[in-house]
Amino acid sequence: MLVPVADEDDARATARALAPYDPAAVTVLHVVEKGEGVPDKTPVEQSEAIAEAAFEAFRETFPDAATERVYRRDVVAGILDTAADLDVSAVAFRPRGGARILQFLAGDRSLRLITESDVPVISVPDGDDT
């Protein structure tokens, strides 16, 4: 199972939400958004530190989780490419909140992930959602 995470807090919350399902094998993924000709959102070193902190937070719950870091302009494409490269059986994610208008204007990554994936995509509820 591939589990994308954004940062340390997201990784910790996602791992807690996924834990009751007890997946056999987990790879946690962080996609570093690269600009490809435009300035990056954050310096590479800072992005890599964010990824490492996220991996450590996820491993508090899943100590044997494998890790992957990819560099892409399109986060959803990075997740889907990694899922294909690793030949995972599913992608699991915890939806992030946010105003509907912002999701509409920015493009809803959750919707794209679900509709563009070739493998099952599982949305795990936040502990507050159950």
Side-chain angles (χ1 to χ4, degrees):
M1 177 174 292
L2 183 66
V3 183
V5 296
D7 57 29
E8 182 177 356
D9 292 337
D10 178 52
R12 191 171 282 115
T14 300
R16 279 194 311 260
L18 185 61
Y21 303 99
D22 195 27
V26 176
T27 299
V28 61
L29 169 69
H30 180 81
V31 179
V32 176
E33 291 185 76
K34 293 292 295 166
E36 294 180 8
V38 298
D40 295 336
K41 289 187 175 187
T42 57
V44 172
E45 296 81 15
Q46 182 180 356
S47 296
E48 290 176 346
I50 291 168
E52 287 305 316
F55 296 156
E56 288 177 26
F58 196 88
R59 284 187 172 142
E60 291 169 5
T61 304
F62 291 93
D64 296 329
T67 61
E68 288 288 328
R69 181 184 314 132
V70 297
Y71 300 83
R72 297 284 195 294
R73 180 179 182 136
D74 182 335
V75 172
V76 174
I79 295 167
L80 298 177
D81 290 347
T82 304
D85 291 346
L86 298 178
D87 195 26
V88 299
S89 58
V91 173
F93 76 105
R94 188 179 62 85
R96 287 130 185 97
R100 267 298 190 212
I101 189 68
L102 290 176
Q103 290 178 359
F104 174 74
L105 293 173
D108 191 333
R109 288 181 176 167
S110 298
L111 179 62
R112 282 193 55 218
L113 184 60
I114 293 166
T115 59
E116 295 177 20
S117 180
D118 291 331
V119 297
V121 176
I122 302 161
S123 172
V124 292
D126 200 352
D128 297 334
D129 295 342
T130 56

